[in-house]
Amino acid sequence: MLQDHSPRFPGFRPARVPLLPELLSPSQAGSHPYFNLPDFTQPLPPSTPPSLPSHQRCRPSDATKGLLVALLGGGLPAGFVGPFSRMAYQASHLPSLELLICRCLFHLPIALILKLRGDPLLGPPDVRGRACLHALLNVLSIGCAYSAVQVVPAGNAATVRKGSSTVCSALLALCLESQGLSGYDWCGLLGSTLGLIIIVGPGLGTLQEGTTGLYTALGYVLAFLGGLALSLGLLVYRSLDFPSCLPTVAFLFGLVGLVGSVPGLFVLQTPVLPNDPLSWSCVGAVGILALVSFVCVSYAVTKAHPALVCAVLHSEVVVALMLQYYVLYETVAPSDIMGAGVVLGSIAIITAQNLSCEREGQVEE
């Protein structure tokens, strides 16, 4: 049996045995598997999923973003403009120039944005002439379009205007900017032209049927000229590069439209004051939707080829034809449906060819 001998030796004290962590250095104790256990009393940090390497992060390219903005923000709202314009004309015989004036009024409040930002209303002096030219071309394009939908079905007028703008944009960009297109893009443009011919072909057969046929032909000519002016305006806009470019050209469109349309309304047409809610509703819808489409198309043309933007804007044709049949109760001929199908197939080819995503350091098409 063990006994305590400490009383026999008063000066004796048992030596203290050091523990194992005291024998190890701090670095050894921290790296030892036994003393490196996690502290279960503290909450665990939230787990984050492993991030992809930078070369695998994919984002839409500029051309893809431009085409999507043109499709959703430019083509679809613009499809309602033609039928609403025709409804306003049928309800109160609202002249086309008066409708253009009402639309320009929605662009004037943009001057407040320019004033708050401290930018000149008419743009910098060195690009002021081109900015005004862009506004004038857009006013001519819209004026021709509004005049065309009064004598030609809205779907046909939209198809002719967008088809001519697509072809003219491709040719002008190739001649003036030396900006070529791929083989798929040319196939889409040729298909769009074929759909245009299918739609307008039967209408041209009424040229020898009296005054009605003459007005129909004039409506198609105005729609074509509207598309030509639109393509020229898009090319001019691509040459503008200054801060607040988009709000400046939007305000100039309203200003130039008012200056040119107000005298022309009293000289060429007779002003009409609508007295029914339907006409005022259509005028308000035309102004808002057209402003949204104008801004989106102007943005999209800086990201993608103008011919491709115009081709994607053919989505307006589908909306216009649907409203023409279900809302206006106007006949849609089989050739219209066939031509619109060819046009939409061409848009699908162009869109699928130009959809791509960019990665950091490389581009995947």
Short mmCIF file of all heavy atoms in Angstrom, two decimals, residues 154-178:
data_model
loop_
_atom_site.label_atom_id
_atom_site.label_comp_id
_atom_site.label_asym_id
_atom_site.label_seq_id
_atom_site.Cartn_x
_atom_site.Cartn_y
_atom_site.Cartn_z
N ALA A 154 -52.75 47.40 -92.04
CA ALA A 154 -51.63 47.69 -91.14
C ALA A 154 -50.53 46.65 -91.23
O ALA A 154 -49.34 46.97 -91.20
CB ALA A 154 -52.15 47.79 -89.70
N GLY A 155 -50.91 45.37 -91.32
CA GLY A 155 -49.89 44.32 -91.41
C GLY A 155 -49.07 44.43 -92.68
O GLY A 155 -47.85 44.24 -92.66
N ASN A 156 -49.71 44.71 -93.81
CA ASN A 156 -48.99 44.85 -95.07
C ASN A 156 -48.05 46.05 -95.04
O ASN A 156 -46.90 45.98 -95.51
CB ASN A 156 -49.97 44.98 -96.23
CG ASN A 156 -50.78 43.71 -96.44
OD1 ASN A 156 -50.85 42.86 -95.55
ND2 ASN A 156 -51.39 43.57 -97.60
N ALA A 157 -48.54 47.18 -94.52
CA ALA A 157 -47.69 48.37 -94.46
C ALA A 157 -46.48 48.15 -93.56
O ALA A 157 -45.36 48.55 -93.90
CB ALA A 157 -48.52 49.56 -93.94
N ALA A 158 -46.68 47.48 -92.42
CA ALA A 158 -45.55 47.21 -91.53
C ALA A 158 -44.54 46.27 -92.19
O ALA A 158 -43.33 46.45 -92.05
CB ALA A 158 -46.06 46.60 -90.22
N THR A 159 -45.03 45.28 -92.92
CA THR A 159 -44.13 44.34 -93.58
C THR A 159 -43.31 45.03 -94.65
O THR A 159 -42.09 44.81 -94.76
CB THR A 159 -44.93 43.18 -94.19
OG1 THR A 159 -45.74 42.59 -93.18
CG2 THR A 159 -44.01 42.13 -94.76
N VAL A 160 -43.94 45.85 -95.46
CA VAL A 160 -43.21 46.54 -96.53
C VAL A 160 -42.18 47.49 -95.94
O VAL A 160 -41.02 47.55 -96.39
CB VAL A 160 -44.19 47.29 -97.45
CG1 VAL A 160 -43.44 48.15 -98.45
CG2 VAL A 160 -45.09 46.31 -98.18
N ARG A 161 -42.55 48.23 -94.91
CA ARG A 161 -41.62 49.19 -94.31
C ARG A 161 -40.44 48.49 -93.67
O ARG A 161 -39.28 48.89 -93.87
CB ARG A 161 -42.37 50.03 -93.27
CG ARG A 161 -41.50 51.08 -92.58
CD ARG A 161 -42.36 52.03 -91.77
NE ARG A 161 -41.54 52.97 -91.01
CZ ARG A 161 -41.23 52.83 -89.72
NH1 ARG A 161 -41.69 51.78 -89.04
NH2 ARG A 161 -40.49 53.73 -89.11
N LYS A 162 -40.68 47.44 -92.91
CA LYS A 162 -39.58 46.74 -92.26
C LYS A 162 -38.74 45.96 -93.26
O LYS A 162 -37.52 45.89 -93.13
CB LYS A 162 -40.12 45.80 -91.19
CG LYS A 162 -40.82 46.50 -90.04
CD LYS A 162 -39.93 47.53 -89.39
CE LYS A 162 -40.63 48.23 -88.25
NZ LYS A 162 -39.79 49.28 -87.62
N GLY A 163 -39.39 45.39 -94.27
CA GLY A 163 -38.62 44.66 -95.27
C GLY A 163 -37.71 45.57 -96.07
O GLY A 163 -36.53 45.26 -96.31
N SER A 164 -38.21 46.71 -96.50
CA SER A 164 -37.38 47.64 -97.25
C SER A 164 -36.27 48.22 -96.38
O SER A 164 -35.14 48.43 -96.85
CB SER A 164 -38.24 48.76 -97.82
OG SER A 164 -38.89 49.48 -96.79
N SER A 165 -36.54 48.46 -95.10
CA SER A 165 -35.49 48.98 -94.23
C SER A 165 -34.39 47.95 -94.02
O SER A 165 -33.21 48.30 -93.92
CB SER A 165 -36.09 49.39 -92.88
OG SER A 165 -36.61 48.26 -92.19
N THR A 166 -34.74 46.66 -93.98
CA THR A 166 -33.74 45.62 -93.81
C THR A 166 -32.81 45.56 -95.01
O THR A 166 -31.58 45.55 -94.88
CB THR A 166 -34.42 44.26 -93.59
OG1 THR A 166 -35.29 44.35 -92.46
CG2 THR A 166 -33.40 43.18 -93.36
N VAL A 167 -33.39 45.50 -96.20
CA VAL A 167 -32.58 45.40 -97.41
C VAL A 167 -31.73 46.67 -97.60
O VAL A 167 -30.53 46.60 -97.90
CB VAL A 167 -33.49 45.14 -98.63
CG1 VAL A 167 -32.66 45.12 -99.91
CG2 VAL A 167 -34.24 43.83 -98.46
N CYS A 168 -32.35 47.83 -97.40
CA CYS A 168 -31.61 49.08 -97.59
C CYS A 168 -30.50 49.22 -96.55
O CYS A 168 -29.41 49.73 -96.87
CB CYS A 168 -32.56 50.26 -97.50
SG CYS A 168 -33.76 50.35 -98.86
N SER A 169 -30.73 48.78 -95.31
CA SER A 169 -29.69 48.86 -94.29
C SER A 169 -28.49 47.99 -94.65
O SER A 169 -27.34 48.39 -94.46
CB SER A 169 -30.25 48.46 -92.93
OG SER A 169 -31.24 49.36 -92.50
N ALA A 170 -28.77 46.78 -95.16
CA ALA A 170 -27.67 45.91 -95.55
C ALA A 170 -26.86 46.51 -96.70
O ALA A 170 -25.62 46.51 -96.67
CB ALA A 170 -28.22 44.54 -95.96
N LEU A 171 -27.54 47.04 -97.70
CA LEU A 171 -26.82 47.61 -98.84
C LEU A 171 -26.07 48.88 -98.45
O LEU A 171 -24.92 49.09 -98.87
CB LEU A 171 -27.81 47.89 -99.97
CG LEU A 171 -28.51 46.66 -100.56
CD1 LEU A 171 -29.50 47.07 -101.64
CD2 LEU A 171 -27.50 45.67 -101.11
N LEU A 172 -26.70 49.74 -97.65
CA LEU A 172 -26.03 50.98 -97.26
C LEU A 172 -24.84 50.71 -96.35
O LEU A 172 -23.79 51.36 -96.48
CB LEU A 172 -27.04 51.89 -96.56
CG LEU A 172 -28.13 52.49 -97.46
CD1 LEU A 172 -29.14 53.25 -96.61
CD2 LEU A 172 -27.52 53.41 -98.50
N ALA A 173 -24.98 49.78 -95.41
CA ALA A 173 -23.85 49.46 -94.54
C ALA A 173 -22.71 48.84 -95.33
O ALA A 173 -21.53 49.07 -95.03
CB ALA A 173 -24.31 48.50 -93.43
N LEU A 174 -23.02 48.06 -96.35
CA LEU A 174 -21.98 47.45 -97.16
C LEU A 174 -21.27 48.50 -98.02
O LEU A 174 -20.05 48.45 -98.20
CB LEU A 174 -22.59 46.37 -98.05
CG LEU A 174 -21.62 45.57 -98.94
CD1 LEU A 174 -20.63 44.80 -98.08
CD2 LEU A 174 -22.40 44.61 -99.83
N CYS A 175 -22.01 49.48 -98.53
CA CYS A 175 -21.41 50.49 -99.41
C CYS A 175 -20.74 51.62 -98.65
O CYS A 175 -19.65 52.07 -99.03
CB CYS A 175 -22.49 51.05 -100.35
SG CYS A 175 -23.23 49.83 -101.45
N LEU A 176 -21.37 52.08 -97.56
CA LEU A 176 -20.86 53.25 -96.85
C LEU A 176 -19.90 52.90 -95.72
O LEU A 176 -18.92 53.59 -95.50
CB LEU A 176 -22.04 54.06 -96.29
CG LEU A 176 -23.03 54.60 -97.32
CD1 LEU A 176 -24.15 55.37 -96.63
CD2 LEU A 176 -22.33 55.47 -98.35
N GLU A 177 -20.17 51.81 -95.00
CA GLU A 177 -19.34 51.45 -93.86
C GLU A 177 -18.43 50.27 -94.15
O GLU A 177 -17.62 49.92 -93.29
CB GLU A 177 -20.22 51.11 -92.65
CG GLU A 177 -21.03 52.29 -92.14
CD GLU A 177 -21.81 51.95 -90.88
OE1 GLU A 177 -21.84 50.74 -90.53
OE2 GLU A 177 -22.35 52.86 -90.25
N SER A 178 -18.54 49.66 -95.31
CA SER A 178 -17.75 48.46 -95.66
C SER A 178 -17.92 47.39 -94.59
O SER A 178 -16.97 46.71 -94.20
CB SER A 178 -16.27 48.81 -95.83
OG SER A 178 -16.10 49.74 -96.87
#
